[in-house]
Amino acid sequence: MEVIADLQIHSRYARATSKDITIDNLEKWGKIKGLNLMGTGDFQHPLWRKEIDEKLQEDDKGILRTKSGFAFLWQTEISLMFSQGGKGRAIHLLIFAPNKNIADKITKYLGSKGRLDYDGRPIFGISCEQLVKDLKNIDDKIEIIPAHCMTPWFGLFGSKKGFDSLKECFLDQSDKIYAIESGMSADPAMLWRFEEVADGKVNVVSFSDAHSFWPWRIGREATIFEVPELSYDNIIKAIRTGEGFKATIETPPAYGKYHYDGHRNCNFSCSPEETRKLNGICPICKKPMIIGVDYRVEEIAKMEKGFKPKNAKPFYWLIPLHELISFRFDIGLSSKKAWAVYNSLIENFGNELDVLLKVSKEEMLVKKFDDGLVDIILKNREGKLKVKPGYDGTYGEIVMEEQKKLF
C-alpha cells in the first residue's frame, strides 16, 4: 500500500502555532491534502497528550487511529541547547515511539530533564549524543531524526549553531541515526553531496514542520512509502533501510525561508557568490549576514554538485496549490476566491496531492479550469517554476519564468 506521510507536526501548545490545531482539524485537512499518515506532534505535552488519548485509539501495529480510521504515529520534536567543541549548539530532533508504553517512557525521561508543560517543543540542556544513548536504552525501536537539518539556527548542519558532520554531532551514537530531514530550504540533491549521505549511511526524509493545519502548511513536504501494511515497524524499516521508501515531496529549496544569505530587516539578499565578494558583510547595515543553506552546503559538501548515491530516492518539487492559485490570480492566500478555486479542484479531483501530481491537463481543462492556472500546475509538477530565493526567515516567491529541471 502507498502511504504519504507528514511526520513533523506540532500541537497548538507549541510556540508560534495556530491555536486551532486539533486532532479533528489535522484529520480533516490531512485527508484534503492527500495524506494518509501524520505525526501526532508534541506527545509529551500533558494537555496535548490528553487530547491524543481522547481522540485516538492505538492498534496492535503501533498506529493511532481516529474513529474514521485516519492514521497517526507517535511523534514529537524537541530542542537541545548545549555546548560542544567549544561552541554553543542548538539542534532540533524528531522522536518517534513504537507504542503508547514507549511514548510514556520517553515522556518520563524527558520530564526528568526539564519542564514539559510550557512549550510543545521543549528545550533541554543535554547533548545529542547523550539523548540518543538514553533513548536507545529505553528501546531500540525509538527513532531519532535531525529535523530541518540545514536551517541556520536549529539545524544539525546549520551555519549558526550546527555541526559539519553527523559524526561530529552524535559522536559514538552516530551509527544510531538512520535519516536526516531535508527541511524547506534544502532538497535531497543538496544533501547527497554530504559524506554520510553519499556513503549510503543515512537516508533523506522530508516532512512539513507544520505550525498550522491549513493545506499550504501540512504536507508541503512529505515522504511516500510503499509497504505491505501500515505499521510502525514497516515505516521505520523503510526509513532505516530504504526498503519500502519510495520518494519524497519537497518544496523547491529556494522557496524556503533560509535558502539565500542576507538580512530581512535590510531587505537585502544575495547568492553565495555575491556573499563571498562581500566577505559576508551586509552592504546596508555593515554587519555579518545570516548565511543561508545554499552557501552552507558548499562549506560541508564532499562530493561535486550533481553527485547521486546508489541508494538515492526520487523526489518531487512541489509548491502548495493555494500558493499557485494566489500567484495566478494575484489574490490573498486565504481569500474567498482562492478558497473557491481550491475547493472546486478538490471536489472534482479528490485531494490536493492528486491535483499537483496526477491529474492531467485534459481532465482539468474539460472541467473548465482557467488555462493559466492549469499551466502553472503543470509547470509546478515538472519543476519549471522559477522561485526568487527566500532568506533570513522570509519565504521565497514564485516568478513566472522557465527553469531547468534539476532532478
Side-chain angles (χ1 to χ4, degrees), residues 221-277:
E221 299 213 324
T223 299
I224 306 172
F225 300 98
E226 188 71 47
V227 291
E229 64 174 342
L230 181 54
S231 69
Y232 179 85
D233 287 350
N234 282 340
I235 294 298
I236 298 306
K237 179 182 179 182
I239 289 172
R240 291 186 181 185
T241 70
E243 184 181 339
F245 187 143
K246 191 175 178 182
T248 58
I249 293 168
E250 315 271 343
T251 56
Y255 190 70
K257 295 194 288 185
Y258 294 100
H259 190 65
Y260 259 13
D261 315 316
H263 276 163
R264 176 175 46 186
N265 291 340
C266 297
N267 194 30
F268 177 81
S269 66
C270 63
S271 69
E273 293 75 19
E274 186 66 20
T275 299
R276 292 185 189 97
K277 291 177 184 176

Side-chain angles (χ1 to χ4, degrees), residues 307-328:
F307 173 81
K308 187 174 183 178
K310 291 179 181 179
N311 67 334
K313 303 298 181 182
F315 65 92
Y316 307 97
W317 274 358
L318 290 178
I319 293 174
L321 185 54
H322 261 93
E323 307 275 3
L324 306 182
I325 296 168
S326 174
F327 175 75
R328 167 60 183 139

Side-chain angles (χ1 to χ4, degrees), residues 116-168:
L116 304 180
D117 60 344
Y118 71 98
D119 191 345
R121 185 181 55 215
I123 301 170
F124 303 102
I126 55 179
S127 70
C128 291
E129 179 193 29
Q130 189 62 53
L131 179 95
V132 173
K133 184 177 181 180
D134 291 346
L135 291 185
K136 288 296 183 176
N137 281 337
I138 293 173
D139 196 311
D140 185 58
K141 286 188 175 183
I142 295 170
E143 194 70 8
I144 302 105
I145 299 177
H148 41 71
C149 69
M150 294 302 306
T151 54
W153 300 102
F154 298 103
L156 164 65
F157 301 119
S159 62
K160 287 294 183 180
K161 297 189 176 183
F163 296 85
D164 289 345
S165 72
L166 208 66
K167 178 70 174 177
E168 185 188 5

